[in-house]
Amino acid sequence: MIQLYNPVEIGEGGTRLGVVQPSGGRNALRPLKSSAAITLASVAGIAATSVNSLILAFMLGPSGVGLVATLISIPTIVIVLSNWGLHSAGLYHLGQQKYADVEIVSSVVWMGVAIGLLLLGAGLAGMSILTRLIPEAPATPIFLALAAILPQVLLLYFGDIAIGLGKTSTAVLMRILPGAGYLILSLGLVVLSRLGVTGAMIAYLTGMWGAATAGFVSLFRSGALRLTVSWPFVKEALRFGFQSHIGDIAQYLVYRLDLPLVSYYAGLSAAGYYSVAVRIAELLWLPSNSLRAVLLAHVSSSQNADADKLTALLSRVLLVFSVLAAILLGAAGQLLIGWILPQYLPAVPLLWVLLPGVVTASVFRVLIGDITGRGTPGRVAQITVGGLLAGLALYLILIPRLGAMGAALTSSVLYFGEYIVVLIVLASRSKMPVRDFVLIRRQDLSVMMGIARRNASSVTAALKGSWIHVGNTRR
């Protein structure tokens, strides 16, 4: 388990080998050390996706890349609206240790398969509606987007399950393989074969299925996944997951409602410019993609005082690094667009407007893992639903008037507002001053640099071990 209080070591088959009692300050760093490889893998995976986005932008033009971005958003939106929060529930209950790991993992995975198949069937039944909503898209790319629903559900669940089990190799694979597969296949199908939007969607679908298959193989081989479902666990997980699910829906809509609104009010070219700016800006979210799940797993199985200290440490360190990274990212993005993609120069001002909000959102995305890990996902839902309502009002006011710039302004203001609210909630609950979550300390930097140095090779080692396992299974 990735946790501070009463952590356990996981054996090769997922067996609990023993209990390590807390021994002081060093144990507080265990979640950070455990997440190093996962965070680096997230960097590699999303970096591959970002490179692929630039390649597609060059090959397909603003309208083509806007269409691909819109099609890819279909399965993601469907999943976020309909996954019922089982991945968060599974992660929380793995920390609580009320049920056996195999009961939790098997139940979450097979419920995920059932949900994915139901969503796929619903999507196919609504094909005619989608073709009317996206008249620029042929039927084949729309079908390929719908076919990605099931593997995306599984990848969502596999990533968090692996963190909850302490299986770094599987967690690394789930973060690298989708983006890497998508990039490699896009080079063949879009760049070499010139299959256009259809080729990009085939590459996307194949990348998702390849990663999902690797996840199945890894979990089956470890003994954590079996052909069984624990209905008592499912009942509890659905109750917990529903509250988490409401929060996830609201937050996803906050993050993604802007693109279809820009496409509708300002056209596909504006959506293409905006999608490039968003893709670059959201590189800042790379650490938060894994740290939220790590923090949730840690908090769900730790003492409150220990969790408060780790949450405050993550908050202030991530804020400082995000600010520095935003400055570098903005400058690099401007140079990159001007040099390689001059037709996308309208994306540059959008990028600079987005960056301040994305900085605070990167911290917010981690901090809500603390609240969920304490068994109160409903509090997160309250914050995110409030943000969604405020954001929707601003989007509908500014996007029709300012186009993509209205979306960028609204997003930045909204992200900052949510960050302030969650800081107030955490400071009030922990009885710690807000400055402990914001102002960096000298010892924080030395701690983080030490962790980075000790874990620089973690991703390579995890990937090597994972492929050895997969290869042995095939033989």
Side-chain angles (χ1 to χ4, degrees):
M1 288 291 180
I2 303 173
Q3 56 193 15
L4 167 62
Y5 179 68
N6 196 31
V8 296
E9 296 178 353
I10 304 298
E12 178 61 26
T15 305
R16 302 179 185 277
L17 297 179
V19 176
V20 182
Q21 298 297 338
S23 58
R26 290 190 177 183
N27 277 337
L29 302 179
R30 183 169 294 144
L32 300 181
K33 296 175 182 178
S34 301
S35 68
I38 302 169
T39 300
L40 291 174
S42 297
V43 172
I46 298 185
T49 302
S50 299
V51 170
N52 189 54
S53 295
L54 293 174
I55 292 172
L56 294 180
F58 181 79
M59 295 297 300
L60 303 178
S63 296
V65 78
L67 179 56
V68 170
T70 301
L71 289 171
I72 287 177
S73 71
I74 292 174
T76 309
I77 291 174
V78 170
I79 291 166
V80 170
L81 294 176
S82 310
N83 72 76
W84 207 265
L86 286 176
H87 59 108
S88 295
L91 190 54
Y92 172 75
H93 281 90
L94 283 169
Q96 292 288 295
Q97 300 180 14
K98 180 178 178 180
Y99 297 91
D101 288 355
V102 70
E103 289 184 287
I104 297 172
V105 174
S106 299
S107 300
V108 168
V109 170
W110 298 124
M111 289 294 291
V113 170
I115 290 171
L117 291 174
L118 288 173
L119 294 177
L120 174 59
L124 294 176
M127 273 281 291
S128 59
I129 297 175
L130 290 173
T131 55
R132 288 196 296 270
L133 291 174
I134 317 174
E136 300 89 350
T140 298
I142 293 177
F143 172 79
L144 293 171
L146 293 174
I149 289 176
L150 178 55
Q152 277 197 237
V153 170
L154 296 176
L155 287 174
L156 174 65
Y157 290 0
F158 289 165
D160 281 0
I161 285 171
I163 289 175
L165 291 173
K167 295 185 178 299
T168 303
S169 298
T170 302
V172 163
L173 281 177
M174 295 303 97
R175 281 157 175 77
I176 288 183
L177 286 184
Y182 186 19
L183 171 60
I184 293 170
L185 291 165
S186 290
L187 289 173
L189 297 174
V190 179
V191 177
L192 298 179
S193 299
R194 302 299 178 99
L195 294 180
V197 171
T198 299
M201 294 308 300
I202 293 173
Y204 178 73
L205 174 63
T206 307
M208 296 300 105
W209 269 113
T213 300
F216 261 120
V217 170
S218 177
L219 290 176
F220 262 121
R221 189 180 185 281
S222 71
L225 180 59
R226 292 289 181 264
L227 294 173
T228 183
V229 173
S230 171
W231 295 112
F233 162 75
V234 169
K235 185 177 179 180
E236 285 195 38
L238 289 176
R239 283 200 301 267
F240 182 97
F242 177 73
Q243 298 179 64
S244 177
H245 181 49
I246 296 299
D248 287 345
I249 289 175
Q251 197 57 39
Y252 180 80
L253 291 176
V254 166
Y255 292 153
R256 294 293 176 258
L257 192 59
D258 49 359
L259 182 59
L261 288 175
V262 170
S263 178
Y264 179 78
Y265 284 109
L268 283 177
S269 293
Y273 300 139
Y274 189 66
S275 67
V276 169
V278 168
R279 175 63 67 183
I280 295 174
E282 289 182 358
L283 289 173
L284 290 177
W285 289 351
L286 292 171
S288 67
N289 291 334
S290 58
L291 288 176
R292 176 190 174 184
V294 170
L295 186 59
L296 196 165
H298 163 71
V299 170
S300 68
S301 55
S302 68
Q303 293 177 325
N304 288 341
D306 295 327
D308 290 339
K309 292 176 183 177
L310 179 65
T311 300
L313 170 64
L314 284 175
S315 176
R316 57 184 184 257
V317 169
L318 188 56
L319 179 62
V320 169
F321 277 98
S322 294
V323 169
L324 296 176
I327 296 171
L328 295 175
L329 186 62
Q334 183 169 342
L335 290 174
L336 185 64
I337 291 173
W339 179 40
I340 299 178
L341 300 169
Q343 68 270 40
Y344 287 88
L345 281 175
V348 173
L350 300 175
L351 172 62
W352 283 110
V353 171
L354 282 167
L355 283 173
V358 172
V359 165
T360 54
S362 68
V363 186
F364 169 84
R365 286 157 58 92
V366 174
L367 296 184
I368 59 177
D370 176 288
I371 300 173
T372 303
R374 296 177 190 274
T376 56
R379 178 64 65 87
V380 176
Q382 292 172 355
I383 297 171
T384 55
V385 168
L388 172 61
L389 295 176
L392 182 59
L394 287 174
Y395 282 139
L396 292 176
I397 291 171
L398 294 182
I399 292 178
R401 292 167 174 78
L402 301 178
M405 182 56 71
L409 285 168
T410 297
S411 297
S412 216
V413 169
L414 183 58
Y415 297 167
F416 181 78
E418 288 187 325
Y419 168 68
I420 294 299
V421 171
V422 83
L423 276 183
I424 293 171
V425 170
L426 289 174
S428 175
R429 192 216 63 238
S430 65
K431 308 302 182 184
M432 298 171 64
V434 171
R435 65 175 178 270
D436 285 357
F437 294 88
V438 176
L439 300 180
I440 196 71
R441 301 172 181 175
R442 181 179 299 178
Q443 60 267 33
D444 294 341
L445 298 179
S446 61
V447 166
M448 299 305 294
M449 292 303 295
I451 291 172
R453 285 194 298 268
R454 288 193 296 271
N455 289 278
S457 62
S458 297
V459 171
T460 302
L463 280 173
K464 181 179 179 181
S466 298
W467 284 117
I468 290 173
H469 292 165
V470 172
N472 289 341
T473 302
R474 288 174 178 169
R475 287 193 292 270

